[in-house]
Amino acid sequence: MKVLVTGTAGFIGAALAHALLARGDEVIGLDSVNDYYDVSLKEARLARLKAKRGFTEIRTPLENRERLFQAFSDHRPSRVVNLAAQAGVRYSLTHPEAYIDANLVGFCNILEACRHHGVEHLVYASSSSVYGANTAMPFSVHQNVDHPVSLYAATKKANELMAHTYSHLYGIPTTGLRFFTVYGPWGRPDMALFMFTKSILEGRPINVFNFGRHRRDFTYIDDIVEGVVRTLDRIATPNPDWNSDCPDPGTAKAPYRLYNIGNNQPVELMRFIEVLEDCLGRRAEKNYLPMQDGDVPATYADVDDLMRDVGYAPTTPIETGIANFVAWYKGYYGYS
Ligand SMILES: NC(=O)c1ccc[n+]([C@@H]2O[C@H](COP(=O)([O-])OP(=O)(O)OC[C@H]3O[C@@H](n4cnc5c(N)ncnc54)[C@H](O)[C@@H]3O)[C@@H](O)[C@H]2O)c1
């Protein structure tokens, strides 16, 4: 299969590309390699991919419609996974324009490119942040999610709406995956595990927001990748039971599906930190702080639909996942 994956210099995109190459797919990896975080980490992820047969790199922003269309017509991918986006809740408070450009303009270009190049399935990244002000746990794709609490979340919800329109109007099968706090080797420097590890190893205190009362459905990268691959292989279909008098938000009359992809086992932030301290063999000095704007106190994914439809079954406990991250971090940054 020829798969165009966007965001391949990123954390999830690089890991997904490795998995697709390993099973013999051809991967066209598209990324702008922007400087939202350490570019050398992105380049290092890309270098490992470029060393493999079957990988082609395209360096362009999604917003460049002409170059994006050129990539589609040159390579004719049969399936597309769109992971490129401006990620991060906090940055959206200070740089809203980056989210409009990448997540709205860029995503519209992806939809248009899929429409005009006969793509048979588009899988795209949404986020647990779309649950916003919702508190009924576990979060389900069958709940209404009209109360985002950050612009990042609003753009991810907008992606789901835009995808539905294209599935409805042009019959393009689309599947949105709401990722829940992904962590693991080659992770993102702006996320808690990475920042905590760096600070602890450098002997600096860590900032513990919401006074440590956060609960997160931390999901290990390999479980995420397994779920994305399985989803990619199952082309979205219409729900024959969809009822317009009582519309189910997670499915549609069009070939449109939404799934949560999480660990289904929320963990207290303080427990997460404790496991990290054990793995590092050091205690962290903690700065307890209030919750940040745009944040939510808890996430917990109902993954029943993904289990039923693609056999998704996350298996990695945080004790294993964090140990793997620490081993990678120490090796990559030269700690003994
Ligand atoms: N990691 C998580 O916990 C998590 C949780 C929820 C949702 N997501 C979503 O999953 C996707 C992948 O996340 P990630 O953690 O790998 O993030 P990441 O930032 O590591 O990867 C995103 C990649 O997209 C690229 N990119 C950004 N804007 C672009 C643009 N306009 N054009 C082309 N490339 C662009 C970046 O250079 C980066 O390499 C994102 O859509 C993110 O919003 C991630």
Side-chain angles (χ1 to χ4, degrees):
M1 215 158 54
K2 206 185 248 195
V3 186
L4 188 142
V5 180
T6 73
T8 30
F11 171 35
I12 302 174
L16 173 67
H18 280 292
L20 294 174
L21 291 168
R23 70 173 197 173
D25 289 347
E26 207 179 311
V27 175
I28 316 302
L30 187 147
D31 201 297
S32 62
V33 195
N34 69 22
D35 62 1
Y36 167 60
Y37 63 75
D38 183 12
V39 172
S40 69
L41 177 61
K42 293 186 180 184
E43 294 286 7
R45 293 189 190 118
L46 275 178
R48 292 173 75 230
L49 285 169
K50 285 194 271 191
K52 295 210 165 150
R53 246 193 37 210
F55 183 80
T56 306
E57 187 206 355
I58 296 172
R59 198 169 286 214
T60 181
L62 298 178
E63 298 90 303
N64 189 329
R65 192 171 184 276
E66 208 171 301
R67 286 181 54 193
L68 187 70
F69 269 57
Q70 195 62 51
F72 274 74
S73 50
D74 286 351
H75 297 282
R76 301 246 148 229
S78 55
R79 300 191 187 183
V80 174
V81 183
N82 185 57
L83 300 171
Q86 181 55 58
V89 165
R90 275 152 220 155
Y91 194 69
S92 71
L93 303 176
T94 51
H95 295 80
E97 68 292 340
Y99 294 76
I100 302 303
D101 294 345
N103 303 6
L104 298 184
V105 177
F107 191 65
C108 181
N109 287 343
I110 285 284
L111 288 169
E112 277 291 300
C114 289
R115 170 188 172 198
H116 291 290
H117 295 90
V119 167
E120 57 187 32
H121 192 195
L122 166 65
V123 175
Y124 61 95
S126 184
S127 165
S128 60
S129 64
V130 300
Y131 290 100
N134 290 17
T135 51
M137 301 274 170
F139 290 150
S140 159
V141 294
H142 306 293
Q143 294 166 0
N144 166 300
V145 288
D146 282 335
H147 299 87
V149 298
S150 68
L151 187 70
Y152 169 64
T155 61
K156 289 294 181 182
K157 166 70 179 169
N159 286 171
E160 297 175 355
L161 296 171
M162 292 159 79
H164 179 264
T165 311
Y166 275 67
S167 297
H168 169 79
L169 287 175
Y170 311 115
I172 304 168
T174 65
T175 303
L177 290 173
R178 293 177 178 167
F179 294 117
F180 281 66
T181 320
V182 188
Y183 75 101
W186 295 94
R188 251 172 53 201
D190 62 327
M191 293 184 70
L193 179 59
F194 204 112
M195 293 196 290
F196 289 163
T197 303
K198 186 171 191 301
S199 295
I200 296 171
L201 287 173
E202 291 172 1
R204 290 184 291 106
I206 61 170
N207 288 333
V208 182
F209 291 101
N210 197 21
F211 306 103
R213 283 186 230 115
H214 273 324
R215 288 176 82 225
R216 285 285 180 276
D217 206 351
F218 295 102
T219 313
Y220 190 63
I221 184 69
D222 292 0
D223 292 325
I224 288 282
V225 165
E226 173 78 27
V228 178
V229 172
R230 285 170 179 255
T231 303
L232 182 65
D233 288 345
R234 188 180 193 273
I235 295 179
T237 53
N239 173 4
D241 301 323
W242 194 80
N243 177 354
S244 56
D245 286 339
C246 181
D248 166 29
T251 64
K253 209 171 161 181
Y256 165 89
R257 297 277 163 156
L258 288 175
Y259 295 103
N260 287 332
I261 180 161
N263 202 45
N264 189 234
Q265 257 179 43
V267 173
E268 304 274 345
L269 181 57
M270 294 315 292
R271 170 66 191 149
F272 194 77
I273 293 171
E274 195 177 78
V275 174
L276 176 60
E277 290 174 328
D278 290 346
C279 291
L280 289 169
R282 296 192 196 183
R283 297 290 128 204
E285 190 189 325
K286 300 168 188 91
N287 276 337
Y288 291 99
L289 297 165
M291 196 158 89
Q292 293 182 294
D293 282 347
D295 221 344
V296 298
T299 65
Y300 176 9
D302 173 339
V303 294
D304 288 355
D305 287 11
L306 199 59
M307 287 174 122
R308 181 198 62 218
D309 289 353
V310 307
Y312 171 73
T315 55
T316 315
I318 56 163
E319 289 76 8
T320 309
I322 293 177
N324 292 349
F325 173 80
V326 167
W328 168 78
Y329 187 97
K330 285 183 160 179
Y332 185 75
Y333 289 103
Y335 285 89
S336 52

